[in-house]
Amino acid sequence: MIRGSFVSFDEYSDRDLMPVVRVTVSIAGFKEPAGGIDFVIDTGAQFTNIQPSDAYLWAEIPDDQLSDPAKWPTTTYGSGIGGLGAFFPMPASYRFQHESGRVETIVGTVYIAQLTPDNINMPSLLGWDILRHFRIALDYGAGEVRLTRQRRSA
């Protein structure tokens, strides 16, 4: 089982806590985030994305690259809470730490969000492309966030 927690991304308030899980994401050609990224579990997001603050802080992707779609091999456009924006899809591996110490790896794609004034402080989102591999248990009152790996039956 992988445990997360409920946290606030507003330094001035402890209300509106969001469920998060820490994940280490490896993206070819970029620094591996030390200690991982706290992703908000977002059942409304189709794809997992890393927002600019995490991309800069953890993977050390420079602001000039984050803001310029011409500096990426591929750009796709999508919309969500932050409005319409560009995303840079990159092959990635996601590593989850189980309570037992075992590491679970899922290979997929991560969508790095283009830097804009509207998303500079948004948290990164763990979407259905990765969440579909897990059973999700959230208990706000108890402060519990749990992911259990789903096994497909043969």
Side-chain angles (χ1 to χ4, degrees):
M1 178 186 333
I2 299 156
R3 287 206 181 266
S5 59
F6 283 91
V7 301
S8 174
F9 287 90
D10 181 351
E11 63 184 283
Y12 304 106
S13 172
D14 60 357
R15 295 178 298 131
D16 302 324
L17 301 177
M18 293 183 269
V20 301
V21 65
R22 180 157 291 190
V23 183
T24 300
V25 181
S26 296
I27 306 165
F30 294 102
K31 180 181 181 225
E32 184 171 297
I37 295 172
D38 286 330
F39 282 89
V40 172
I41 295 172
D42 187 350
T43 59
Q46 184 176 4
F47 299 106
T48 298
N49 67 71
I50 297 177
Q51 291 295 328
S53 59
D54 286 330
Y56 178 77
L57 181 64
W58 296 108
E60 297 183 0
I61 301 172
D63 285 350
D64 65 327
Q65 185 170 2
L66 287 169
S67 61
D68 186 358
K71 293 187 177 183
W72 293 86
T74 306
T75 302
T76 187
Y77 293 87
S79 63
I81 293 172
L84 180 64
F87 294 89
F88 314 119
M90 298 292 294
S93 62
Y94 298 83
R95 288 195 312 281
F96 295 82
Q97 180 83 37
H98 286 261
E99 283 184 315
S100 66
R102 184 172 64 89
V103 175
E104 178 101 27
T105 301
I106 297 174
V107 175
T109 300
V110 68
Y111 291 77
I112 300 169
Q114 178 184 10
L115 175 63
T116 68
D118 296 328
N119 70 0
I120 189 67
N121 293 315
M122 287 185 66
S124 296
L125 306 175
L126 196 63
W128 273 119
D129 57 331
I130 300 300
L131 291 173
R132 67 186 171 95
H133 297 281
F134 297 98
R135 182 175 325 131
I136 305 163
L138 305 174
D139 185 336
Y140 188 87
E144 293 181 357
V145 174
R146 296 185 311 270
L147 301 179
T148 307
R149 180 64 185 224
Q150 292 271 78
R151 298 288 180 210
R152 289 188 170 244
S153 56

